Amino acid sequence: MAYSSSVQLQFRFYKCSSNYTMFYADAIRQCLVFDKRKSPCPPQQILHTDEMFTCKPNHYSKLHNRFNVLRSVVVRSEIAGAGSPAAAYQLPEFQLTSKVRGVCFYAVTSIVAIFLFVLMVIGHPFVLLRDRYQRSFHHLIAKIWASMTVFPFFKIKIEGFENLPPKNSPAVYVANHQSFLDIYALLTLGRNLKFISKTAIFLFPIVGWAMFLMGVIPLKRMDSRSQLQTLKRCMEIVKNGGSVFFFPEGTRSKDGRLGNFKKGAFSIAAKTGVPVVPITLVGTGKIMPAGMEGILNPGSVKIIIHQPVQGDNPDTLCNEAVDVISNELICQG
């Protein structure tokens, strides 16, 4: 990243003519640009006292030239660092707006979650008795929560909705993973999907507890025993008419590129004979980038639901899903 020069000035007050005094004041105002960008060895330009404030014509000319050099360094630094001077000045305002939107987003989702969580708790005993595996009532509340949260901030467009299997038909859903917002977007589909989530998320007040009531499957990433138990739990849900959802990449993409798919989801589909439904998510990573969950940029989200694929070979199912999703990401740009 380029840097801007800092000018160290030492002041002495001499009796100078008014035109020279005005020049010095204007030069100082224009050239004192303090830049906090990091640099291992920023250059220091020292203007000596006698050079600056001795009222002689040759010093006037010399100082004028040196200040012009400094101003050109500042301008070139901004261009090299941000693409254009305009972008360099607009970015802080944009980030501030995005941070404010992020605060508002979490405030809305928290307030809505508190009221809807009470309904979940009241209805949970009946859900366990009548609908233990699909938990349609809880997922309906989750859809309302997600829809009310995202509605004030961004729009979601769904393509290929006709490709979704019937609500009571078991399936394995897979999608690319770009952002924390992916879950919100997918919940608006209104399907009883059992997500797989890190165990630490279940400790979050309200949201984590609601995930537990919905039957979200916990996973310890680095624990092989936990991974095996997760696969067994998914198999049990699918065999009993439920649907499970996987992000086969295992983590969020920081640059929007599709990562390598793990084959656990496709092994479940191959063993149980249920279809795999590939889904492409577009736009969530730009609105809330991975690792920047405190901001919410303007934008829109598109969910593309592809035709289900079915088979008894996990490798073939995995390759087909990767091809479909990656091609769609390329088409969407």
Side-chain angles (χ1 to χ4, degrees):
M1 183 69 70
Y3 45 76
S4 302
S5 298
S6 299
V7 182
Q8 296 182 358
L9 301 177
Q10 298 177 352
F11 293 91
R12 282 185 189 174
F13 293 93
Y14 289 92
K15 293 182 179 179
C16 300
S17 61
S18 59
N19 59 334
Y20 291 143
T21 304
M22 291 177 64
F23 167 72
Y24 295 139
D26 184 64
I28 292 170
R29 178 181 62 81
Q30 295 184 36
C31 292
L32 279 180
V33 178
F34 297 94
D35 197 320
K36 296 182 180 180
R37 295 188 181 97
K38 296 181 180 179
S39 174
C41 51
Q44 300 292 329
Q45 181 70 29
I46 308 298
L47 299 183
H48 296 288
T49 307
D50 293 337
E51 276 187 289
M52 289 192 58
F53 293 98
T54 302
C55 302
K56 297 179 181 180
N58 61 329
H59 286 286
Y60 181 99
S61 176
K62 185 177 181 180
L63 185 58
H64 179 76
N65 293 335
R66 296 184 72 171
F67 276 132
N68 281 340
V69 171
L70 289 172
R71 291 182 65 185
S72 67
V73 170
V74 171
V75 173
R76 286 197 299 271
S77 298
E78 295 299 340
I79 292 176
S84 69
Y89 294 110
Q90 289 177 2
L91 184 58
E93 181 181 356
F94 181 71
Q95 288 182 339
L96 178 61
T97 304
S98 298
K99 288 180 179 179
V100 172
R101 285 169 54 86
V103 172
C104 295
F105 175 83
Y106 286 112
V108 170
T109 194
S110 299
I111 294 172
V112 174
I114 291 173
F115 289 100
L116 294 181
F117 178 71
V118 175
L119 296 178
M120 272 192 175
V121 173
I122 295 174
H124 190 62
F126 303 97
V127 170
L128 292 180
L129 290 174
R130 294 180 170 271
D131 192 17
R132 185 179 187 87
Y133 290 100
Q134 295 203 26
R135 306 194 182 190
S136 300
F137 176 73
H138 289 341
H139 283 86
L140 174 61
I141 293 179
K143 178 183 177 180
I144 296 173
W145 169 66
S147 300
M148 293 180 66
T149 299
V150 304
F151 175 75
F153 300 100
F154 58 88
K155 294 181 179 180
I156 298 178
K157 181 180 179 181
I158 302 175
E159 295 183 2
F161 194 84
E162 66 278 2
N163 293 325
L164 283 176
K167 284 188 176 181
N168 297 327
S169 178
V172 175
Y173 294 78
V174 296
N176 58 309
H177 199 10
Q178 295 184 347
S179 170
F180 175 69
L181 297 178
D182 293 342
I183 300 295
Y184 286 87
L186 292 166
L187 285 175
T188 62
L189 294 177
R191 289 297 187 267
N192 305 333
L193 307 177
K194 299 297 180 290
F195 294 91
I196 297 172
S197 177
K198 294 184 297 184
T199 54
I201 305 297
F202 288 83
L203 300 177
F204 290 3
I206 307 299
V207 174
W209 306 337
M211 290 168 56
F212 174 78
L213 297 182
M214 289 173 60
V216 175
I217 304 168
L219 171 66
K220 296 179 181 179
R221 287 185 177 179
M222 306 307 295
D223 190 338
S224 57
R225 180 178 297 179
S226 176
Q227 295 174 1
L228 182 60
Q229 290 176 348
T230 297
L231 291 177
K232 289 182 178 179
R233 175 62 178 160
C234 290
M235 294 277 289
E236 179 186 0
I237 292 173
V238 172
K239 289 180 178 179
N240 285 275
S243 296
V244 292
F245 186 95
F246 286 82
F247 291 114
E249 295 168 278
T251 188
R252 289 166 293 175
S253 172
K254 293 184 178 181
D255 56 6
R257 298 178 182 177
L258 193 65
N260 295 327
F261 274 22
K262 297 177 175 61
K263 297 180 181 178
F266 308 99
S267 297
I268 293 173
K271 291 179 180 179
T272 57
V274 301
V276 175
V277 183
I279 297 176
T280 304
L281 298 171
V282 180
T284 54
K286 294 180 180 179
I287 297 176
M288 185 179 285
M292 301 178 67
E293 284 72 26
I295 68 172
L296 191 74
N297 299 319
S300 60
V301 174
K302 183 181 290 186
I303 304 175
I304 300 98
I305 304 164
H306 305 283
Q307 292 185 353
V309 295
Q310 201 162 357
D312 56 3
N313 189 323
D315 293 329
T316 302
L317 292 174
C318 180
N319 292 334
E320 290 182 8
V322 169
D323 291 341
V324 169
I325 296 175
S326 61
N327 290 336
E328 187 64 41
L329 288 173
I330 294 173
C331 292
Q332 296 294 329

